[in-house]
Amino acid sequence: MDFHYTVQTNKTIEEAIESIEQNLKINKFGVLWQLNLTETLQKKGVDQYKKPFRILEVCNPVEAARVLEHNPLVGYFLPCKITVYEDEGKTKIGLPKPTAMISLLNDAELISIAENIEAVLIDVLEKSK
């Protein structure tokens, strides 16, 4: 089982992020925080990594509350992450699969919820490319 899902797009990093934000909103998800990893590394004196790499932390608050109520250990996996980065001159959008993370807790109800969230997020990636 792959632990991640990745798509390629002809969009720029900024265009891809804008599209992701719009598609997340349609699905009642939002971006809580965005990390420009390349810029952060450079500010810390690490100059050898120059490719654009962004990490979006995304959340559906209703679903987050539901899974946390069921098992607070889910908090170790929240919020969900979406990466937008350049690889070999192409913009890629990816995410760690929520099912892969939640499966560590071995709870059928949580896995079912994670499957639904994963399907929504994969649809967001597909529509954002």
Side-chain angles (χ1 to χ4, degrees), residues 85-111:
Y85 59 100
E86 184 182 300
D87 185 34
E88 298 180 2
K90 302 287 184 185
T91 300
K92 296 195 176 174
I93 307 168
L95 61 90
K97 288 184 174 180
T99 54
M101 307 296 278
I102 292 295
S103 68
L104 297 171
L105 297 177
N106 198 24
D107 181 316
E109 184 175 340
L110 288 175
I111 290 170

PDB file of all heavy atoms in Angstrom, residues 85-111:
ATOM      1  N   TYR A  85       5.310  21.126  -4.667  1.00  0.00           N
ATOM      2  CA  TYR A  85       6.752  21.259  -4.826  1.00  0.00           C
ATOM      3  C   TYR A  85       7.169  21.086  -6.278  1.00  0.00           C
ATOM      4  O   TYR A  85       6.387  20.654  -7.108  1.00  0.00           O
ATOM      5  CB  TYR A  85       7.480  20.253  -3.935  1.00  0.00           C
ATOM      6  CG  TYR A  85       7.134  18.797  -4.223  1.00  0.00           C
ATOM      7  CD1 TYR A  85       7.974  18.009  -4.992  1.00  0.00           C
ATOM      8  CD2 TYR A  85       5.978  18.225  -3.713  1.00  0.00           C
ATOM      9  CE1 TYR A  85       7.676  16.684  -5.245  1.00  0.00           C
ATOM     10  CE2 TYR A  85       5.667  16.896  -3.959  1.00  0.00           C
ATOM     11  CZ  TYR A  85       6.518  16.129  -4.723  1.00  0.00           C
ATOM     12  OH  TYR A  85       6.211  14.816  -4.976  1.00  0.00           O
ATOM     13  N   GLU A  86       8.412  21.441  -6.528  1.00  0.00           N
ATOM     14  CA  GLU A  86       8.974  21.272  -7.868  1.00  0.00           C
ATOM     15  C   GLU A  86       9.895  20.063  -7.855  1.00  0.00           C
ATOM     16  O   GLU A  86      10.723  19.903  -6.959  1.00  0.00           O
ATOM     17  CB  GLU A  86       9.760  22.522  -8.260  1.00  0.00           C
ATOM     18  CG  GLU A  86      10.302  22.474  -9.677  1.00  0.00           C
ATOM     19  CD  GLU A  86      11.108  23.708 -10.016  1.00  0.00           C
ATOM     20  OE1 GLU A  86      10.539  24.810  -9.954  1.00  0.00           O
ATOM     21  OE2 GLU A  86      12.305  23.562 -10.320  1.00  0.00           O
ATOM     22  N   ASP A  87       9.726  19.216  -8.861  1.00  0.00           N
ATOM     23  CA  ASP A  87      10.573  18.034  -9.014  1.00  0.00           C
ATOM     24  C   ASP A  87      10.868  17.862 -10.502  1.00  0.00           C
ATOM     25  O   ASP A  87       9.934  17.747 -11.311  1.00  0.00           O
ATOM     26  CB  ASP A  87       9.860  16.796  -8.457  1.00  0.00           C
ATOM     27  CG  ASP A  87      10.728  15.567  -8.482  1.00  0.00           C
ATOM     28  OD1 ASP A  87      11.957  15.681  -8.298  1.00  0.00           O
ATOM     29  OD2 ASP A  87      10.170  14.464  -8.688  1.00  0.00           O
ATOM     30  N   GLU A  88      12.134  17.917 -10.854  1.00  0.00           N
ATOM     31  CA  GLU A  88      12.564  17.793 -12.242  1.00  0.00           C
ATOM     32  C   GLU A  88      11.846  18.794 -13.146  1.00  0.00           C
ATOM     33  O   GLU A  88      11.397  18.463 -14.243  1.00  0.00           O
ATOM     34  CB  GLU A  88      12.391  16.354 -12.734  1.00  0.00           C
ATOM     35  CG  GLU A  88      13.250  15.360 -11.951  1.00  0.00           C
ATOM     36  CD  GLU A  88      13.085  13.930 -12.426  1.00  0.00           C
ATOM     37  OE1 GLU A  88      12.341  13.674 -13.393  1.00  0.00           O
ATOM     38  OE2 GLU A  88      13.723  13.062 -11.819  1.00  0.00           O
ATOM     39  N   GLY A  89      11.693  20.019 -12.645  1.00  0.00           N
ATOM     40  CA  GLY A  89      11.100  21.090 -13.425  1.00  0.00           C
ATOM     41  C   GLY A  89       9.582  21.060 -13.515  1.00  0.00           C
ATOM     42  O   GLY A  89       8.986  21.883 -14.196  1.00  0.00           O
ATOM     43  N   LYS A  90       8.945  20.116 -12.846  1.00  0.00           N
ATOM     44  CA  LYS A  90       7.487  19.987 -12.872  1.00  0.00           C
ATOM     45  C   LYS A  90       6.915  20.276 -11.496  1.00  0.00           C
ATOM     46  O   LYS A  90       7.525  19.948 -10.475  1.00  0.00           O
ATOM     47  CB  LYS A  90       7.074  18.566 -13.281  1.00  0.00           C
ATOM     48  CG  LYS A  90       7.593  18.128 -14.628  1.00  0.00           C
ATOM     49  CD  LYS A  90       6.854  18.823 -15.743  1.00  0.00           C
ATOM     50  CE  LYS A  90       7.319  18.291 -17.091  1.00  0.00           C
ATOM     51  NZ  LYS A  90       6.741  19.003 -18.196  1.00  0.00           N
ATOM     52  N   THR A  91       5.710  20.863 -11.471  1.00  0.00           N
ATOM     53  CA  THR A  91       5.010  21.091 -10.208  1.00  0.00           C
ATOM     54  C   THR A  91       4.250  19.827  -9.839  1.00  0.00           C
ATOM     55  O   THR A  91       3.524  19.268 -10.652  1.00  0.00           O
ATOM     56  CB  THR A  91       4.031  22.277 -10.322  1.00  0.00           C
ATOM     57  OG1 THR A  91       4.770  23.453 -10.665  1.00  0.00           O
ATOM     58  CG2 THR A  91       3.293  22.510  -9.013  1.00  0.00           C
ATOM     59  N   LYS A  92       4.441  19.393  -8.607  1.00  0.00           N
ATOM     60  CA  LYS A  92       3.750  18.205  -8.100  1.00  0.00           C
ATOM     61  C   LYS A  92       2.964  18.588  -6.851  1.00  0.00           C
ATOM     62  O   LYS A  92       3.366  19.469  -6.095  1.00  0.00           O
ATOM     63  CB  LYS A  92       4.733  17.086  -7.805  1.00  0.00           C
ATOM     64  CG  LYS A  92       5.417  16.610  -9.084  1.00  0.00           C
ATOM     65  CD  LYS A  92       6.110  15.309  -8.927  1.00  0.00           C
ATOM     66  CE  LYS A  92       6.675  14.854 -10.273  1.00  0.00           C
ATOM     67  NZ  LYS A  92       7.463  13.661 -10.138  1.00  0.00           N
ATOM     68  N   ILE A  93       1.850  17.906  -6.680  1.00  0.00           N
ATOM     69  CA  ILE A  93       0.983  18.103  -5.523  1.00  0.00           C
ATOM     70  C   ILE A  93       0.793  16.722  -4.899  1.00  0.00           C
ATOM     71  O   ILE A  93       0.448  15.766  -5.594  1.00  0.00           O
ATOM     72  CB  ILE A  93      -0.397  18.661  -5.933  1.00  0.00           C
ATOM     73  CG1 ILE A  93      -0.258  19.920  -6.786  1.00  0.00           C
ATOM     74  CG2 ILE A  93      -1.243  18.929  -4.692  1.00  0.00           C
ATOM     75  CD1 ILE A  93      -1.565  20.339  -7.464  1.00  0.00           C
ATOM     76  N   GLY A  94       1.016  16.614  -3.598  1.00  0.00           N
ATOM     77  CA  GLY A  94       0.886  15.305  -2.971  1.00  0.00           C
ATOM     78  C   GLY A  94       0.396  15.387  -1.542  1.00  0.00           C
ATOM     79  O   GLY A  94       0.311  16.464  -0.954  1.00  0.00           O
ATOM     80  N   LEU A  95       0.085  14.219  -1.013  1.00  0.00           N
ATOM     81  CA  LEU A  95      -0.324  14.127   0.379  1.00  0.00           C
ATOM     82  C   LEU A  95      -0.010  12.753   0.929  1.00  0.00           C
ATOM     83  O   LEU A  95      -0.007  11.768   0.195  1.00  0.00           O
ATOM     84  CB  LEU A  95      -1.825  14.424   0.523  1.00  0.00           C
ATOM     85  CG  LEU A  95      -2.832  13.532  -0.197  1.00  0.00           C
ATOM     86  CD1 LEU A  95      -3.264  12.345   0.652  1.00  0.00           C
ATOM     87  CD2 LEU A  95      -4.051  14.356  -0.531  1.00  0.00           C
ATOM     88  N   PRO A  96       0.290  12.699   2.241  1.00  0.00           N
ATOM     89  CA  PRO A  96       0.359  11.382   2.877  1.00  0.00           C
ATOM     90  C   PRO A  96      -1.081  10.890   3.040  1.00  0.00           C
ATOM     91  O   PRO A  96      -1.962  11.670   3.411  1.00  0.00           O
ATOM     92  CB  PRO A  96       1.016  11.652   4.231  1.00  0.00           C
ATOM     93  CG  PRO A  96       0.776  13.101   4.496  1.00  0.00           C
ATOM     94  CD  PRO A  96       0.613  13.771   3.165  1.00  0.00           C
ATOM     95  N   LYS A  97      -1.339   9.653   2.709  1.00  0.00           N
ATOM     96  CA  LYS A  97      -2.704   9.141   2.762  1.00  0.00           C
ATOM     97  C   LYS A  97      -3.181   9.035   4.213  1.00  0.00           C
ATOM     98  O   LYS A  97      -2.531   8.379   5.036  1.00  0.00           O
ATOM     99  CB  LYS A  97      -2.783   7.768   2.108  1.00  0.00           C
ATOM    100  CG  LYS A  97      -2.647   7.810   0.608  1.00  0.00           C
ATOM    101  CD  LYS A  97      -2.828   6.411   0.039  1.00  0.00           C
ATOM    102  CE  LYS A  97      -2.848   6.431  -1.468  1.00  0.00           C
ATOM    103  NZ  LYS A  97      -3.015   5.059  -1.999  1.00  0.00           N
ATOM    104  N   PRO A  98      -4.318   9.662   4.519  1.00  0.00           N
ATOM    105  CA  PRO A  98      -4.856   9.541   5.871  1.00  0.00           C
ATOM    106  C   PRO A  98      -5.065   8.083   6.304  1.00  0.00           C
ATOM    107  O   PRO A  98      -4.873   7.757   7.472  1.00  0.00           O
ATOM    108  CB  PRO A  98      -6.191  10.293   5.788  1.00  0.00           C
ATOM    109  CG  PRO A  98      -5.947  11.330   4.745  1.00  0.00           C
ATOM    110  CD  PRO A  98      -5.083  10.627   3.716  1.00  0.00           C
ATOM    111  N   THR A  99      -5.418   7.202   5.374  1.00  0.00           N
ATOM    112  CA  THR A  99      -5.621   5.794   5.742  1.00  0.00           C
ATOM    113  C   THR A  99      -4.331   5.141   6.212  1.00  0.00           C
ATOM    114  O   THR A  99      -4.341   4.314   7.118  1.00  0.00           O
ATOM    115  CB  THR A  99      -6.205   4.985   4.574  1.00  0.00           C
ATOM    116  OG1 THR A  99      -5.368   5.152   3.422  1.00  0.00           O
ATOM    117  CG2 THR A  99      -7.626   5.413   4.258  1.00  0.00           C
ATOM    118  N   ALA A 100      -3.219   5.526   5.611  1.00  0.00           N
ATOM    119  CA  ALA A 100      -1.932   4.956   6.018  1.00  0.00           C
ATOM    120  C   ALA A 100      -1.590   5.379   7.439  1.00  0.00           C
ATOM    121  O   ALA A 100      -1.095   4.579   8.238  1.00  0.00           O
ATOM    122  CB  ALA A 100      -0.835   5.381   5.050  1.00  0.00           C
ATOM    123  N   MET A 101      -1.867   6.640   7.760  1.00  0.00           N
ATOM    124  CA  MET A 101      -1.555   7.149   9.090  1.00  0.00           C
ATOM    125  C   MET A 101      -2.485   6.522  10.132  1.00  0.00           C
ATOM    126  O   MET A 101      -2.042   6.002  11.142  1.00  0.00           O
ATOM    127  CB  MET A 101      -1.699   8.675   9.113  1.00  0.00           C
ATOM    128  CG  MET A 101      -0.916   9.398   8.027  1.00  0.00           C
ATOM    129  SD  MET A 101       0.849   9.194   8.168  1.00  0.00           S
ATOM    130  CE  MET A 101       1.190  10.431   9.369  1.00  0.00           C
ATOM    131  N   ILE A 102      -3.786   6.578   9.875  1.00  0.00           N
ATOM    132  CA  ILE A 102      -4.787   6.109  10.835  1.00  0.00           C
ATOM    133  C   ILE A 102      -4.704   4.604  11.049  1.00  0.00           C
ATOM    134  O   ILE A 102      -5.017   4.112  12.126  1.00  0.00           O
ATOM    135  CB  ILE A 102      -6.209   6.525  10.384  1.00  0.00           C
ATOM    136  CG1 ILE A 102      -6.374   8.037  10.478  1.00  0.00           C
ATOM    137  CG2 ILE A 102      -7.287   5.817  11.193  1.00  0.00           C
ATOM    138  CD1 ILE A 102      -6.316   8.631  11.859  1.00  0.00           C
ATOM    139  N   SER A 103      -4.253   3.863  10.033  1.00  0.00           N
ATOM    140  CA  SER A 103      -4.169   2.408  10.179  1.00  0.00           C
ATOM    141  C   SER A 103      -3.249   2.010  11.327  1.00  0.00           C
ATOM    142  O   SER A 103      -3.388   0.922  11.889  1.00  0.00           O
ATOM    143  CB  SER A 103      -3.710   1.756   8.877  1.00  0.00           C
ATOM    144  OG  SER A 103      -2.367   2.090   8.599  1.00  0.00           O
ATOM    145  N   LEU A 104      -2.350   2.904  11.718  1.00  0.00           N
ATOM    146  CA  LEU A 104      -1.463   2.619  12.845  1.00  0.00           C
ATOM    147  C   LEU A 104      -2.239   2.442  14.150  1.00  0.00           C
ATOM    148  O   LEU A 104      -1.755   1.787  15.080  1.00  0.00           O
ATOM    149  CB  LEU A 104      -0.423   3.740  13.009  1.00  0.00           C
ATOM    150  CG  LEU A 104       0.542   3.927  11.841  1.00  0.00           C
ATOM    151  CD1 LEU A 104       1.368   5.189  12.032  1.00  0.00           C
ATOM    152  CD2 LEU A 104       1.441   2.708  11.693  1.00  0.00           C
ATOM    153  N   LEU A 105      -3.433   3.018  14.231  1.00  0.00           N
ATOM    154  CA  LEU A 105      -4.247   2.915  15.444  1.00  0.00           C
ATOM    155  C   LEU A 105      -5.133   1.677  15.457  1.00  0.00           C
ATOM    156  O   LEU A 105      -5.754   1.368  16.467  1.00  0.00           O
ATOM    157  CB  LEU A 105      -5.098   4.171  15.626  1.00  0.00           C
ATOM    158  CG  LEU A 105      -4.311   5.466  15.831  1.00  0.00           C
ATOM    159  CD1 LEU A 105      -5.262   6.649  15.923  1.00  0.00           C
ATOM    160  CD2 LEU A 105      -3.435   5.384  17.060  1.00  0.00           C
ATOM    161  N   ASN A 106      -5.221   0.964  14.317  1.00  0.00           N
ATOM    162  CA  ASN A 106      -5.951  -0.303  14.223  1.00  0.00           C
ATOM    163  C   ASN A 106      -7.379  -0.187  14.753  1.00  0.00           C
ATOM    164  O   ASN A 106      -7.801  -0.937  15.628  1.00  0.00           O
ATOM    165  CB  ASN A 106      -5.171  -1.409  14.953  1.00  0.00           C
ATOM    166  CG  ASN A 106      -5.633  -2.785  14.531  1.00  0.00           C
ATOM    167  OD1 ASN A 106      -6.177  -2.960  13.447  1.00  0.00           O
ATOM    168  ND2 ASN A 106      -5.431  -3.758  15.401  1.00  0.00           N
ATOM    169  N   ASP A 107      -8.134   0.767  14.204  1.00  0.00           N
ATOM    170  CA  ASP A 107      -9.505   1.032  14.631  1.00  0.00           C
ATOM    171  C   ASP A 107     -10.376   1.141  13.378  1.00  0.00           C
ATOM    172  O   ASP A 107     -10.224   2.080  12.591  1.00  0.00           O
ATOM    173  CB  ASP A 107      -9.530   2.333  15.446  1.00  0.00           C
ATOM    174  CG  ASP A 107     -10.902   2.709  15.959  1.00  0.00           C
ATOM    175  OD1 ASP A 107     -11.885   2.622  15.194  1.00  0.00           O
ATOM    176  OD2 ASP A 107     -10.982   3.131  17.128  1.00  0.00           O
ATOM    177  N   ALA A 108     -11.279   0.192  13.191  1.00  0.00           N
ATOM    178  CA  ALA A 108     -12.077   0.114  11.963  1.00  0.00           C
ATOM    179  C   ALA A 108     -12.908   1.378  11.729  1.00  0.00           C
ATOM    180  O   ALA A 108     -13.026   1.839  10.584  1.00  0.00           O
ATOM    181  CB  ALA A 108     -12.983  -1.114  12.009  1.00  0.00           C
ATOM    182  N   GLU A 109     -13.481   1.964  12.777  1.00  0.00           N
ATOM    183  CA  GLU A 109     -14.301   3.166  12.596  1.00  0.00           C
ATOM    184  C   GLU A 109     -13.438   4.334  12.125  1.00  0.00           C
ATOM    185  O   GLU A 109     -13.824   5.079  11.227  1.00  0.00           O
ATOM    186  CB  GLU A 109     -15.020   3.532  13.895  1.00  0.00           C
ATOM    187  CG  GLU A 109     -15.961   4.711  13.714  1.00  0.00           C
ATOM    188  CD  GLU A 109     -16.779   5.022  14.948  1.00  0.00           C
ATOM    189  OE1 GLU A 109     -16.924   4.152  15.830  1.00  0.00           O
ATOM    190  OE2 GLU A 109     -17.287   6.149  15.017  1.00  0.00           O
ATOM    191  N   LEU A 110     -12.265   4.487  12.714  1.00  0.00           N
ATOM    192  CA  LEU A 110     -11.362   5.563  12.297  1.00  0.00           C
ATOM    193  C   LEU A 110     -10.871   5.346  10.874  1.00  0.00           C
ATOM    194  O   LEU A 110     -10.739   6.301  10.107  1.00  0.00           O
ATOM    195  CB  LEU A 110     -10.178   5.680  13.250  1.00  0.00           C
ATOM    196  CG  LEU A 110     -10.476   6.266  14.625  1.00  0.00           C
ATOM    197  CD1 LEU A 110      -9.239   6.215  15.496  1.00  0.00           C
ATOM    198  CD2 LEU A 110     -11.008   7.692  14.508  1.00  0.00           C
ATOM    199  N   ILE A 111     -10.602   4.105  10.512  1.00  0.00           N
ATOM    200  CA  ILE A 111     -10.152   3.815   9.148  1.00  0.00           C
ATOM    201  C   ILE A 111     -11.251   4.184   8.146  1.00  0.00           C
ATOM    202  O   ILE A 111     -10.976   4.765   7.097  1.00  0.00           O
ATOM    203  CB  ILE A 111      -9.716   2.335   9.010  1.00  0.00           C
ATOM    204  CG1 ILE A 111      -8.411   2.120   9.794  1.00  0.00           C
ATOM    205  CG2 ILE A 111      -9.547   1.946   7.541  1.00  0.00           C
ATOM    206  CD1 ILE A 111      -7.989   0.677   9.947  1.00  0.00           C
TER     207      ILE A 111
END
